[in-house]
C-alpha cells in the first residue's frame, strides 16, 4: 500500500488495529516499533509476538469481548500484551499499580478477566494467593515461554465499531473504581486522525506516563497506527526523558503538567538537544498559563493541551503555540462532531461569558461503565431540545466570545494529583470507617510536587484525644492506594457549614492554606 493509500485508510471513519499491526509488520519489518530501557523490537518482531500472544490467549480460553488484566510497570512486554489482547478479539484491562490489593482484586473481578499478566515484583508484593482463580503469567519473566510457538497464527478477529477495545479503571477511588469501556469505533475515531496528520513512519514518540493511564494512549495508539516508533519509559525522570529525546530524536511526547514543571526546574535542562521535538501534548490536570508560557519559550515544537474525560464527551484542544493570548483557556471543541454547552443548575443553556456546568458530546463517547448502568445514567445529560445524549464533564466553566473554554472549578471537587483523579468523597468514607472519627472532609490543596494533594479534616468522637489524629492518618493511608494518600490530616471541633447545613469546602481550603506545610 502506498503512502497515499495509508492516508486514505487512516482517513476512513473506521478501521482495524489488528490489520494495521499486520500491515506494518509486512511493509516495514526492520524498522523499530517499540523500545524500552532494556530492549527494542522491529515491526516484524512486534507483529509476530502480538500474533503469538493472541494465539496463546485464544488457546487458553479467551473469548471475544473478554478482558485480559495487566498489572505491572510499563515496558515492551506490557505493550505487547495490551496489543495482543486486542488482536485476539479480547479487551485490554490495565490495572493501576498504585491501587490497594483489595482494589486490584475487585477491578480484576469486575473486568471478567480469565488471565492476568503481572510483574514478578508485584506478584511477590501481593503474595502467591493473589487472585488464584485467574491464569497468572509473569509479565517480565515468562512471556516469551508462554507465547504460542513461532509461526502460530491466531484465529482472525475482524472488529466492528461496537466491539470493546479496552477498560480503563478510574484512578483514585476506594472500593471498586468504575471501569470505563471504550470500543473499537471510539479508539479509531480518537487516534487515526492524529496518526494521519501529525505522525509519519519516521516519528519517535515517548510514553512517559503509565500504560494503564488513558493519558498515555495519545502517544501509544496513534503512533502504532502510523507505523512510528514508541519509546516506553518505565518510570519518568526529568533526566531520563531529556536523554531519551536527545538520543533517539524524539518528535512527539505526552506529559502531564507536573512533568513539565519538573523539566523546567531541572538544572541541566538547557544542556540537552531537544531540536527534534515536533509536537508536545498535555492533559489530565490543570496546566497554568504561566507554565504553558515557559514551556513554549524553552522547548521546541508545538504544544497542544487536551481537555476531556476518559469517559469521552467533548474534547477541547488548545494549540498553545498558535494562540499565546489564550493560555488561560483549554482551547476550543475539536473538529469532527465535538460540541460543548454550559448549563445552569436547572439545565438551561447559558450564553457566552457565563459560568456553569459543562456538558459535551462527540463521536468519542464511552460505551459505559462496566457493570454500572446506574453510574452510566448519572454521567449523562439528555438535551431536551432534540434528545441527544451528552456527557457531564464534571467541571464548571465558561466559553468566551471566541469559543475558547475557561475552566472555573470542578463540580465535584475532584483532586488531580500527578495527573490522576482523586475523589474526596471516597477518602472521606475511608476516614469515617475509623471508630475514632465522627465526621470527615477532604479537599485538594496546591502541591509543588504533585500539582494538587489531598488534605483531610476530621471531627473526632467525644473523648478521643486530638493526639490520635496521627494514628488515624496512618491507619487510613494504609488502606488507600499510593496516589490517594492524604498529605495532612487536621482536627476541627466543628466543620464549617452554611445556614442550610452545606459543608463549606472553600472555608476548609482557607484553613488548610493558613496551616500550610504542603510540599
Amino acid at each position: 500500500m502506498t503512502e497515499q493509500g495509508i492516508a486514505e485508510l487512516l482517513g476512513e471513519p473506521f478501521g482495524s488495529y489488528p490489520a494495521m499491526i499486520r500491515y506494518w509488520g509486512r511493509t516495514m519489518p526492520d524498522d523499530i516499533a517499540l523500545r524500552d530501557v532494556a530492549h527494542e523490537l522491529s515491526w516484524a518482531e512486534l507483529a509476530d509476538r502480538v500474533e503469538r500472544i493472541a494465539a496463546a490467549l485464544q488457546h487458553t480460553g479467551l473469548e471475544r469481548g473478554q478482558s485480559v488484566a495487566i498489572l505491572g510497570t510499563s515496558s515492551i512486554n506490557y505493550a505487547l500484551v495490551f496489543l495482543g489482547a486486542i488482536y485476539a478479539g479480547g479487551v485490554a484491562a490495565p490495572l493501576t499499580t498504585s491501587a490497594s490489593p483489595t482494589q486490584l482484586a475487585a477491578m480484576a473481578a469486575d473486568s471478567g478477566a480469565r488471565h492476568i499478566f503481572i510483574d514478578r515484583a508485584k506478584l511477590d508484593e501481593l503474595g502467591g494467593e493473589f487472585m488464584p482463580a485467574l491464569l497468572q503469567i509473569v509479565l517480565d519473566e515468562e512471556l516469551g515461554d508462554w507465547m504460542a510457538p513461532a509461526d502460530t497464527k491466531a484465529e482472525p478477529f475482524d472488529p466492528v465499531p461496537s466491539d470493546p477495545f479496552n477498560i480503563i479503571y478510574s484512578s483514585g477511588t476506594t472500593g471498586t473504581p468504575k471501569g470505563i469501556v471504550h470500543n473499537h469505533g471510539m479508539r479509531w475515531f480518537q487516534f487515526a486522525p492524529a496518526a494521519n496528520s501529525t505522525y509519519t513512519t519516521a516519528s519517535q514518540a515517548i510514553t512517559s506516563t503509565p500504560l494503564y493511564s488513558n493519558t498515555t494512549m495519545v502517544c501509544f495508539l496513534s503512533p502504532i497506527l502510523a507505523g512510528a516508533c514508541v519509546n516506553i519509559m518505565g518510570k519518568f525522570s526529568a533526566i531520563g526523558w531529556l536523554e531519551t529525546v536527545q538520543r533517539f530524536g524524539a518528535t512527539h511526547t505526552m506529559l502531564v503538567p507536573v512533568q513539565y514543571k519538573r523539566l523546567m526546574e531541572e538544572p541541566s535542562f538547557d544542556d540537552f538537544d531537544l531540536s527534534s521535538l515536533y509536537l508536545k501534548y498535555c492533559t489530565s490536570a490543570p496546566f497554568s498559563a504561566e507554565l504553558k508560557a515557559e514551556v513554549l519559550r524553552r522547548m521546541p515544537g508545538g504544544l497542544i493541551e487536551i481537555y476531556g474525560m476518559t469517559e469521552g464527551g467533548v474534547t477541547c484542544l488548545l494549540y498553545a503555540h498558535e494562540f499565546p493570548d489564550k493560555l488561560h483557556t483549554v482551547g476550543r471543541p475539536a473538529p469532527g462532531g465535538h460540541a460543548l454547552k454550559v448549563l445552569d443548575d436547572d439545565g438551561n443553556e447559558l450564553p457566552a461569558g457565563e459560568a456553569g456546568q459543562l456538558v459535551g458530546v462527540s463521536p468519542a463517547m464511552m460505551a459505559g461503565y462496566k457493570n454500572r448502568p446506574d453510574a452510566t445514567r448519572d454521567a449523562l445529560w439528555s438535551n431536551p431540545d432534540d434528545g441527544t445524549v451528552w456527557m457531564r464533564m464534571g467541571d464548571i466553566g465558561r466559553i468566551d466570545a471566541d469559543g475558547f473554554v475557561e475552566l472555573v472549578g470542578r463540580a465535584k471537587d475532584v483532586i488531580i494529583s500527578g495527573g490522576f483523579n482523586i475523589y474526596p468523597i471516597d477518602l472521606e468514607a475511608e476516614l469515617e470507617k475509623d471508630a475514632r472519627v465522627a465526621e470527615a472532609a477532604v479537599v485538594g490543596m496546591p502541591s509543588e510536587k504533585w500539582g494538587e494533594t489531598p488534605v483531610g479534616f476530621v471531627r473526632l468522637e467525644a473523648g478521643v484525644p486530638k493526639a490520635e489524629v496521627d494514628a488515624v492518618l496512618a491507619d487510613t493511608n494504609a488502606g488507600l492506594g499510593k496516589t490517594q494518600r492524604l498529605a495532612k490530616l487536621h482536627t476541627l471541633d466543628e466543620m464549617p457549614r452554611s445556614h442550610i447545613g452545606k459543608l463549606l469546602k472553600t472555608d476548609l481550603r482557607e484553613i488548610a492554606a493558613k496551616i500550610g506545610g504542603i510540599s
Side-chain angles (χ1 to χ4, degrees):
M1 191 180 294
T2 64
E3 286 188 14
Q4 181 179 354
I6 286 294
E8 290 175 355
L9 178 59
L10 291 173
E12 289 293 322
F14 180 67
S16 166
Y17 277 80
M20 295 305 297
I21 290 170
R22 289 191 293 270
Y23 174 79
W24 295 122
R26 291 193 307 269
T27 58
M28 301 199 312
D30 299 324
D31 289 62
I32 301 302
L34 293 177
R35 183 185 289 118
D36 63 17
V37 68
H39 306 286
E40 61 183 28
L41 287 184
S42 69
W43 269 104
E45 291 170 324
L46 180 148
D48 171 69
R49 295 188 189 189
V50 166
E51 181 95 40
R52 291 163 62 195
I53 291 168
L57 285 168
Q58 292 171 344
H59 293 162
T60 52
L62 182 73
E63 299 178 359
R64 183 170 182 151
Q66 187 173 37
S67 295
V68 176
I70 316 170
L71 179 59
T73 301
S74 298
S75 65
I76 282 178
N77 279 1
Y78 196 124
L80 290 173
V81 171
F82 190 107
L83 296 173
I86 294 159
Y87 195 96
V91 182
L95 306 181
T96 308
T97 56
S98 61
S100 69
T102 301
Q103 291 171 315
L104 290 170
M107 285 187 281
D110 179 74
S111 75
R114 177 186 178 89
H115 306 75
I116 183 166
F117 292 81
I118 183 169
D119 282 352
R120 170 62 66 187
K122 196 67 181 177
L123 186 59
D124 291 344
E125 174 191 327
L126 295 169
E129 294 303 311
F130 178 68
M131 293 188 282
L134 298 187
L135 176 59
Q136 296 181 354
I137 304 97
V138 179
L139 186 60
D140 52 352
E141 292 178 6
E142 301 172 0
L143 189 58
D145 295 331
W146 184 84
M147 292 187 298
D151 299 323
T152 303
K153 297 297 182 183
E155 290 294 324
F157 168 60
D158 187 18
V160 297
S162 60
D163 277 316
F165 184 100
N166 64 254
I167 302 174
I168 300 293
Y169 280 92
S170 57
S171 59
T173 58
T174 55
T176 305
K178 295 190 292 289
I180 301 163
V181 181
H182 300 137
N183 60 34
H184 277 259
M186 178 177 178
R187 286 313 203 185
W188 182 269
F189 175 84
Q190 283 182 313
F191 298 119
N196 202 13
S197 62
T198 67
Y199 285 90
T200 71
T201 55
S203 297
Q204 295 276 334
I206 300 179
T207 65
S208 61
T209 47
L211 282 168
Y212 60 72
S213 170
N214 193 56
T215 296
T216 312
M217 298 299 107
V218 173
C219 276
F220 176 53
L221 293 178
S222 281
I224 289 294
L225 288 177
C229 176
V230 181
N231 296 273
I232 300 170
M233 294 187 71
K235 186 176 182 181
F236 174 81
S237 71
I239 289 295
W241 185 89
L242 291 165
E243 289 175 343
T244 301
V245 174
Q246 180 171 275
R247 181 178 179 186
F248 299 112
T251 57
H252 296 70
T253 192
M254 164 62 81
L255 297 162
V256 295
V258 69
Q259 292 173 322
Y260 279 110
K261 190 172 190 302
R262 290 177 186 176
L263 286 167
M264 296 296 93
E265 292 172 347
E266 170 54 46
S268 61
F269 177 87
D270 293 325
D271 296 336
F272 289 85
D273 179 7
L274 307 181
S275 58
S276 61
L277 285 173
Y278 170 71
L279 193 56
K280 306 176 297 298
Y281 295 97
C282 185
T283 191
S284 295
F287 194 12
S288 72
E290 294 76 17
L291 183 54
K292 292 176 200 175
E294 185 177 7
V295 170
L296 287 171
R297 186 171 66 251
R298 298 181 63 191
M299 297 179 75
L303 174 63
I304 299 177
E305 181 179 10
I306 304 172
Y307 166 73
M309 299 170 63
T310 302
E311 289 89 336
V314 72
T315 294
C316 293
L317 301 175
L318 174 64
Y319 293 81
H321 51 290
E322 297 180 9
F323 297 98
D325 60 332
K326 297 291 188 179
L327 300 187
H328 62 291
T329 77
V330 294
R332 294 183 285 200
H338 291 264
L340 185 73
K341 291 181 182 292
V342 182
L343 307 178
D344 64 19
D345 291 340
D346 296 320
N348 301 307
E349 186 171 359
L350 294 170
E354 291 194 28
Q357 299 182 36
L358 302 182
V359 294
V361 68
S362 77
M365 304 272 277
M366 68 172 180
Y369 293 115
K370 179 77 171 178
N371 300 322
R372 296 287 299 275
D374 54 339
T376 301
R377 285 192 300 270
D378 291 344
L380 304 176
W381 174 78
S382 180
N383 187 342
D385 295 333
D386 57 15
T388 55
V389 176
W390 298 54
M391 290 290 305
R392 298 183 185 276
M393 303 302 293
D395 283 308
I396 305 298
R398 62 171 65 93
I399 303 174
D400 70 17
D402 299 317
F404 287 77
V405 181
E406 180 183 359
L407 300 182
V408 176
R410 289 189 295 280
K412 295 183 180 179
D413 294 313
V414 177
I415 301 163
I416 304 177
S417 182
F420 296 99
N421 290 351
I422 299 172
Y423 298 90
I425 190 171
D426 297 311
L427 275 64
E428 290 159 359
E430 192 71 17
L431 281 164
E432 290 177 354
K433 290 178 183 178
D434 194 304
R436 294 164 291 190
V437 175
E439 187 179 8
V442 173
V443 297
M445 293 300 295
S447 164
E448 285 292 318
K449 187 175 183 181
W450 302 112
E452 288 184 304
T453 194
V455 173
F457 292 87
V458 292
R459 178 171 58 82
L460 296 172
E461 293 285 2
V464 177
K466 291 186 176 182
E468 282 289 298
V469 70
D470 290 339
V472 172
L473 175 62
D475 292 345
T476 300
N477 277 345
L480 296 171
K482 292 178 183 177
T483 57
Q484 299 171 283
R485 292 173 184 169
L486 294 157
K488 296 283 184 181
L489 185 62
H490 307 293
T491 60
L492 293 175
D493 293 330
E494 292 292 337
M495 294 287 181
R497 295 187 178 277
S498 71
H499 68 282
I500 59 172
K502 182 179 179 181
L503 182 67
L504 300 175
K505 288 201 168 182
T506 299
D507 289 6
L508 291 178
R509 293 188 186 95
E510 291 175 358
I511 294 169
K514 289 177 182 177
I515 296 171
I518 305 299
S519 61

